[in-house]
Amino acid sequence: MIIAVIGKNFGDEGKGLAVDYFCGRVPHCLTVKHNGGAQAGHTVSYEDKRFVFHQLSSGSFRGADTFYVSTYSPDLFKLGEEYRDFRACAGFVPKLYCSVDAPLITIDDVLHNMLLESLRGENRHGSCGMGINEGHLRCQDGFGITFGEISGGTAEGLNARMLEIRENYGMKRCEEILSGTGNTDGKAYGGKEAGFTEYREMLNSKDVIRNAAEEMMRNAEFVLPVEEEEAFLCSAENIVFETGQGLLLDSDNTRFAPHVTASKTGLCNIVNILSKAGLTLSEVCYVSRTYVTRHGAGELPYETKRSAIGEIAEDQTNLPNPWQGAIRYATHGTVEEFTNPVKEDITRYIRQNNYGTDYNGDEPVVSLFLTHLNETGGRIVFADNRAKPEEFMKLPEIGSIFDRIYLSCSVYGDECRVLSARF
């Protein structure tokens, strides 16, 4: 079994729930983190426990190991807290593996991210302040640090490397942010006094670097290095790809730019990784709430009040915060708008193979995992109607894309009910 779990909208769809479900169906599952980094927040309730996963697999309650592939950006500084919290919650932590080629996020990436978003003020892009895009830019400039470089090393060595990067790249990046020459909006933010003060001390402190290096090396001991990514994947009995963010936030989505993520949130990474390993997908599962949410700035089509959708509970995973504000709500648009992102993702990376991929296997099962039905009376909320899942599945434009639908909610009295269109 090789399944890809992908959020269909702007994130917060219930991907953690889907990963937990699939990992619970089979033994010895490996969950692959392939995009973004610590900014993911996937909530799973298991028995009497609840946990928000960031870098650990959402299948961890089921004993699924986690693998960071080379397109993922681990934040080892933040990993330790999550590792200890989950061990306190569950009593164990499954194994963590990391490709030696995976690029690491550093403390200065996070600080540069926070600096830029703070200077934008009311024009913030909605970044969660985790440094993913800043780490991507740093690597593009030739100053990357991979997990393989620090594995088995010392805190002193990492400290020296990060100080070198700060001197040769970091301070220049600060000047770019302030002048506007390095910003996607091209906007200058004035002198250093115009917002730089809050971060000046940390971005010049050697203690910040030293403390970060020590914490990163302590937490690196939780992670096992993988030299041959493809061979490691081939050795796995069952694989679930856990995607961060949503399909509409893909870095290539020009409609919603610049309010998008720096990573590939659809099939791109997954298909390329599997193709290199000679493996193919058995199923790609797109996850959606019965309505749409967005946490952060940017266009949200069909935005409406939470009360207009249904009895929506307060989202404890997405409470208001200084970086993304409050979670926002919308209905789905038309059926065509509902399916278009999925059509485009499947067509690009599996059916036409015209985006640099080499997918040679049979087409996978395409499924839809619907969540939060209990909040909308068991209906999928569109702009002009509310459809029952059974009616929704019978629509020709839905049945022609999705082979099955997973319904996860207490309305149906069980953990997950499956509707089939062509099986």
Side-chain angles (χ1 to χ4, degrees), residues 8 285-286 288 338 366-370 392 402 404-406:
K8 196 190 77 68
C285 180
Y286 294 90
S288 176
F338 186 97
V366 180
S367 60
L368 176 68
F369 200 111
L370 281 172
F392 174 73
F402 298 110
R404 60 177 68 123
I405 293 183
Y406 300 90

Side-chain angles (χ1 to χ4, degrees), residues 21-285:
Y21 171 74
F22 288 122
C23 289
R25 292 174 63 191
V26 295
H28 312 301
C29 198
L30 177 70
T31 302
V32 177
K33 295 273 197 173
H34 69 91
N35 79 304
Q39 82 271 43
H42 296 171
T43 305
V44 175
S45 295
Y46 180 76
E47 296 179 345
D48 60 343
K49 303 177 180 68
R50 176 184 181 275
F51 197 83
V52 181
F53 293 98
H54 302 287
Q55 297 187 84
L56 298 183
S57 154
S58 293
S60 292
F61 280 123
R62 311 287 186 169
D65 296 333
T66 305
F67 180 31
Y68 307 141
V69 292
S70 54
T71 53
Y72 185 80
S73 299
D75 188 331
L76 295 180
F77 181 79
K78 293 184 173 67
L79 178 62
E81 181 179 7
E82 182 179 356
Y83 188 97
R84 290 184 288 271
D85 286 349
F86 183 73
R87 185 169 56 192
C89 174
F92 70 100
V93 180
K95 292 180 180 178
L96 296 174
Y97 299 93
C98 184
S99 166
V100 294
D101 296 321
L104 302 180
I105 295 299
T106 70
I107 189 66
D108 277 5
D109 295 330
V110 176
L111 294 173
H112 288 147
N113 186 175
M114 291 181 172
L115 169 63
L116 179 55
E117 277 291 86
S118 295
L119 291 173
R120 284 174 174 147
E122 294 182 358
N123 296 315
R124 288 184 178 184
H125 286 181
S127 167
C128 50
M130 295 291 187
I132 307 302
N133 186 56
E134 290 297 328
H136 177 69
L137 294 175
R138 174 174 52 79
C139 290
Q140 280 188 327
D141 248 21
F143 292 93
I145 304 176
T146 66
F147 183 70
E149 289 180 58
I150 75 161
S151 181
T154 65
E156 290 77 11
L158 178 56
N159 176 67
R161 174 70 174 135
M162 290 200 295
L163 286 174
E164 176 191 4
I165 291 174
R166 176 181 279 185
E167 180 180 349
N168 293 293
Y169 171 83
M171 297 315 296
K172 175 174 68 74
R173 176 59 184 151
C174 284
E175 295 301 324
E176 289 177 350
I177 290 172
L178 293 165
S179 67
T181 59
N183 305 335
T184 55
D185 53 16
K187 183 177 179 181
Y189 294 102
K192 292 183 178 180
E193 291 72 25
F196 186 75
T197 304
E198 183 180 355
Y199 298 96
R200 178 182 301 172
E201 183 176 347
M202 288 186 288
L203 283 164
N204 285 283
S205 170
K206 292 184 178 180
D207 287 341
V208 167
I209 293 287
R210 183 184 306 108
N211 292 338
E214 291 174 354
E215 181 68 9
M216 288 173 70
M217 292 309 302
R218 278 194 293 268
N219 297 335
E221 295 180 5
F222 299 140
V223 185
L224 299 169
V226 172
E227 297 280 348
E228 297 291 339
E229 187 170 285
E230 293 83 5
F232 184 73
L233 287 170
C234 288
S235 70
E237 187 174 341
N238 296 289
I239 299 173
V240 174
F241 282 86
E242 180 173 3
T243 307
Q245 298 76 56
L247 196 55
L248 299 182
L249 295 177
D250 189 276
S251 58
D252 288 339
N253 193 330
T254 56
R255 174 182 174 180
F256 296 108
H259 306 284
V260 295
T261 186
S263 68
K264 306 292 187 182
T265 60
L267 281 167
C268 179
N269 291 340
I270 299 167
V271 168
N272 279 320
I273 289 165
L274 289 176
S275 295
K276 291 176 183 177
L279 301 171
T280 56
L281 280 168
S282 51
E283 181 173 351
V284 52
C285 180

Side-chain angles (χ1 to χ4, degrees), residues 303-325:
E303 186 168 5
T304 187
K305 293 181 180 179
R306 180 174 73 174
S307 58
I309 295 174
E311 297 296 325
I312 313 299
E314 184 177 48
D315 194 320
Q316 295 299 314
T317 307
N318 293 287
L319 296 174
N321 65 71
W323 301 108
Q324 294 181 297

